[in-house]
Amino acid sequence: MHENDWLSAALVFLASAVLIVPLAKKLGLGAILGYLAAGIAIGPFGLRLVTHPDTVLHVAEFGVVLMLFLVGLELEPRRLLSMRRPIFGWGGAQLGLTTLLLGAGGWLAGLSVPVALVGALALTMSSTAIGLGVLGERNLLPTPAGQGVLAVSLFQDIAAIPILALIPLLAMQPGAGAGGGGWWGALQAAGAILLLVLGGRLILRPGLRIVARSRTPELFTAAALLLVVAAAALMRAVELSMALGAFLAGVLLAESEYRRELETDIEPFKGLLLGLFFIAVGMSIDFEVLRSEPLLIALLVLGFVGLKALVLLLMAARIGFAQRERPYFVLLLAQGGEFGFVVAQAGLSGGVLNGRHSSVLLGAIALSMLLTPLLLAALERWWLPRLAACDSAGKPVQHALAEPQQAPVIIAGFGRYGQIVGRLLSAQGMQATVLDVDGEQVASVRRFGWEAFYGDATRLDLLRTAGAAQARVLVVALDDVAQSEALVQLARTHFPQLQIVARARNVSHYAALRRLGVQHIQRETFESALASAREVLGLLGLGAHEARQLAQAFRAHNLEQLETMLPHFGDEQQLIALSKQGREQLEALWAEQRSQQARGRGDWRESANSE
């Protein structure tokens, strides 16, 4: 295929993804491995439908940039500031210890210090795309281990500029490939970050507000993409990581009223480009090197993955991650990463590495990325089920969900709200699988005869064990709003046949659930408050029938008002205007009802007098 024939290339990429990725997911291997397999199939060492993977890889790297922007949108600046210790502490420890061990191993194997150091730096880097992609797919990013993976990945992005600045200093030919390094490069980098932060505070929100007022959806999408591209271009201009720039832009907008709209607009582009990135990685695996030196490549992969895993395992134990979360922390950071390709290429162009060194490094990194989804599938199939019945300290938990369930209803959260639903179903002879993360609560309700299980419903593996693939209804009765939304997203992604009935803690939670597509929502205090209002009206002299009619009218009006306000959540001024307008409409409605009732009473009196 000609490298400029983009129409044919698009046809090949999309066809390979559509054919291979669903098959990989059906086999339980995950989407990432499917994309890698698709790249191998169409690449130079497969069907040779595409022979220039480098060009595609440069374009597809933007998928990683978009992913980091979306991650940044979930982190408010205060939260990011609170993460400074794990970012620089855990990230620095991982980078420093792993580089030291790998560099020492290369030096003992007979490599020169510069070659061993550059090779160690290339192998130390982990795949942000695979790590955060897996965490997002399994809803593990909010967990402590997920935040640990994020912290280490962010530090690796931050470390990009000093690593690239170091390589020319190690070159056998001084000055080869040297760019703007030293103090001047550092000042440029600091200035770019400062410009991005100040611009985000002074320009981004007002600019997005102006675009939003145009009420042109495609223009807002274009503005969102422009924002990410501009942030990435600014960082690239000073030789910083493009992903780091996008991440900072996302953090600056994490508290803005347009966060959800930005997420919605960027998500499709992110998913498509990430898939293209993994296809390009699959195409770039040099099987000629693997065939010519299989033993060397195998030893290198086992050696660097094993050393990184050892360091990460010690870190996970020291940090105190739960036993069932440690395998994800270790595995998702132990493989090589996309930035390793950049380091190896910089080492080659700078004269530190020769062609053989670079090919071996690239082959080992790509192979480790290819093996990670396979190891992850094996981990989730054979090892994690053994840990599912353990608490955060690794000790067995009573009543843990271990055996597959078949009930048509799953109730997530069995506090006061969930128990009422469960009791009504039980009274009708209907079975339900009950999950709750409070071990004491599970033990308590079991003493009263309920078949409840200890388990976190936001974990994909436990949700599958609970029978989500066969169940008809999922009742979301969790206390925590964030966990409730995460469970709904997980269920809609992996179990689309489930009908979701959700409990809303407040109006904002109601709006969030509606935006996620949930149709059956009950606000937990609304109906009881409405019943109290009816009693108050009765105590003030209104008849029972009249009080009930007023309450029903208010309920209908309130739900209609919520649906009207739903598209405008995040725009405070518009919400205030709609709220005032709704209150005026309700007052006018009730005034009309009072007038009709007064006329009705007057007509009755006139009729009685005439008789």
Side-chain angles (χ1 to χ4, degrees):
M1 180 184 297
H2 194 276
E3 61 179 318
N4 292 322
D5 189 356
W6 285 104
L7 183 60
S8 301
L11 178 63
V12 170
F13 288 133
L14 294 174
S16 63
V18 169
L19 291 174
I20 297 178
V21 174
L23 178 61
K25 293 192 72 173
K26 188 173 183 179
L27 295 174
L29 300 178
I32 293 175
L33 186 59
Y35 284 120
L36 291 171
I40 294 172
I42 65 175
F45 297 94
L47 299 175
R48 299 184 61 84
L49 298 176
V50 179
T51 56
H52 297 83
D54 292 343
T55 303
V56 179
L57 189 59
H58 289 314
V59 176
E61 282 176 354
F62 197 63
V64 182
V65 172
L66 293 175
M67 179 176 64
L68 264 294
F69 176 72
L70 292 177
V71 170
L73 280 177
E74 297 296 329
L75 289 174
E76 297 178 359
R78 289 190 299 271
R79 185 180 170 198
L80 181 62
L81 188 62
S82 69
M83 288 181 64
R84 63 187 183 279
R85 182 177 178 183
I87 290 175
F88 292 96
W90 306 347
Q94 185 274 334
L95 186 68
L97 288 174
T98 306
T99 301
L100 179 63
L101 291 174
L102 291 176
W107 179 70
L108 291 174
L111 298 175
S112 65
V113 172
V115 172
L117 182 56
V118 172
L121 289 170
L123 297 175
T124 295
M125 295 297 173
S126 308
S127 175
T128 301
I130 290 179
L132 298 189
V134 168
L135 292 174
E137 184 179 16
R138 288 157 175 78
N139 193 42
L140 292 172
L141 191 57
T143 65
Q147 293 296 289
V149 173
L150 174 62
V152 173
S153 299
L154 287 176
F155 184 83
Q156 291 180 359
D157 279 333
I158 294 171
I161 184 65
I163 289 174
L164 292 179
L166 176 65
I167 291 176
L169 302 179
L170 298 172
M172 292 178 287
Q173 300 174 357
W183 287 104
W184 176 240
L187 287 173
Q188 284 182 313
I193 293 175
L194 182 62
L195 178 61
L196 183 58
V197 171
L198 291 177
R201 291 291 185 185
L202 302 176
I203 300 174
L204 288 185
R205 289 191 186 181
L208 287 175
R209 191 172 295 118
I210 293 172
V211 174
R213 286 173 182 168
S214 70
R215 302 192 180 281
T216 308
E218 60 272 17
L219 186 60
F220 194 86
T221 302
L225 290 174
L226 174 62
L227 167 63
V228 179
V229 172
L234 178 61
M235 293 296 106
R236 187 173 185 177
V238 294
E239 299 182 357
L240 278 174
S241 166
M242 292 191 298
L244 177 61
F247 173 79
L248 290 176
V251 170
L252 291 171
L253 290 170
E255 294 179 321
S256 77
E257 61 270 31
Y258 302 108
R259 189 181 79 175
R260 294 301 179 191
E261 286 80 1
L262 288 168
E263 287 178 340
T264 303
D265 287 341
I266 293 293
E267 184 68 37
F269 297 97
K270 184 266 294 185
L272 186 61
L273 286 172
L274 267 183
L276 186 60
F277 172 80
F278 290 122
I279 290 176
V281 170
M283 290 190 299
S284 66
I285 298 176
D286 191 344
F287 285 92
E288 189 62 38
V289 174
L290 299 180
R291 187 175 61 183
S292 62
E293 300 188 79
L295 183 60
L296 176 62
I297 296 291
L299 289 175
L300 183 57
V301 171
L302 290 175
F304 92 81
V305 171
L307 277 175
K308 289 177 73 174
L310 178 62
V311 170
L312 292 164
L313 193 59
L314 293 174
M315 286 177 58
R318 176 68 176 172
I319 295 168
F321 291 143
Q323 289 283 349
R324 59 178 174 265
E325 294 180 8
R326 293 181 189 181
Y328 285 107
F329 180 76
V330 173
L331 184 58
L332 296 181
L333 291 172
Q335 28 70 11
E338 50 274 359
F339 190 69
F341 296 140
V342 180
V343 174
Q345 186 61 39
L348 178 63
S349 62
V352 181
L353 305 178
N354 58 34
R356 178 176 175 273
H357 292 150
S358 178
S359 295
V360 169
L361 279 176
L362 292 176
I365 292 171
L367 189 59
S368 73
M369 295 173 71
L370 179 64
L371 289 175
T372 297
L374 288 172
L375 294 174
L376 186 65
L379 175 78
E380 293 181 329
R381 179 164 296 181
W382 289 297
W383 179 244
L384 286 182
R386 298 184 180 184
L387 299 178
C390 298
D391 61 13
S392 60
K395 298 178 181 179
V397 175
Q398 286 187 329
H399 317 306
L401 179 63
E403 298 297 326
Q405 304 296 308
Q406 301 293 330
V409 179
I410 298 173
I411 302 177
F414 209 56
R416 293 169 299 174
Y417 197 98
Q419 286 181 36
I420 293 174
V421 178
R423 289 172 63 184
L424 182 57
L425 292 176
S426 178
Q428 296 298 315
M430 299 178 180
Q431 292 184 336
T433 299
V434 175
L435 297 176
D436 200 290
V437 292
D438 188 337
E440 294 182 1
Q441 175 73 359
V442 170
S444 175
V445 298
R446 273 179 167 265
R447 287 197 295 269
F448 287 88
W450 290 100
E451 190 72 6
F453 297 97
Y454 173 85
D456 182 359
T458 62
R459 287 176 53 190
L460 181 60
D461 55 336
L462 285 181
L463 203 56
R464 282 204 173 101
T465 306
Q470 298 82 33
R472 294 169 56 191
V473 180
L474 170 65
V475 179
V476 181
L478 300 176
D479 286 332
D480 187 88
V481 172
Q483 292 294 305
S484 170
E485 294 178 23
L487 175 55
V488 169
Q489 289 179 320
L490 192 68
R492 288 184 61 80
T493 300
H494 296 278
F495 310 105
Q497 92 287 350
L498 276 177
Q499 294 291 320
I500 299 176
V501 177
R503 157 204 192 182
R505 297 296 303 270
N506 47 48
V507 173
S508 297
H509 190 198
Y510 176 94
L513 292 172
R514 286 288 290 114
R515 283 197 295 266
L516 291 172
V518 182
Q519 300 294 328
H520 309 288
I521 308 171
Q522 293 295 331
R523 284 178 285 165
E524 61 179 20
T525 59
F526 182 70
E527 299 296 340
S528 57
L530 206 57
S532 296
R534 283 173 51 190
E535 291 182 354
V536 171
L537 291 174
L539 293 173
L540 292 176
L542 269 72
H545 177 70
E546 187 176 356
R548 184 168 56 253
Q549 281 189 322
L550 287 172
Q552 290 175 346
F554 177 82
R555 185 180 189 277
H557 174 81
N558 185 267
L559 292 175
E560 182 181 348
Q561 179 75 3
L562 270 181
E563 292 297 316
T564 303
M565 297 170 69
L566 195 61
H568 305 285
F569 269 84
D571 188 341
E572 185 177 359
Q573 293 182 349
Q574 186 67 19
L575 287 178
I576 292 173
L578 288 172
S579 179
K580 291 180 179 178
Q581 179 182 347
R583 189 162 58 247
E584 292 170 357
Q585 290 174 348
L586 183 62
E587 290 172 355
L589 174 64
W590 281 5
E592 177 63 24
Q593 286 185 349
R594 287 195 298 270
S595 176
Q596 290 177 356
Q597 290 168 355
R599 286 197 299 270
R601 286 193 293 267
D603 292 342
W604 178 82
R605 291 193 186 96
E606 290 179 3
S607 175
N609 291 333
S610 64
E611 292 177 359

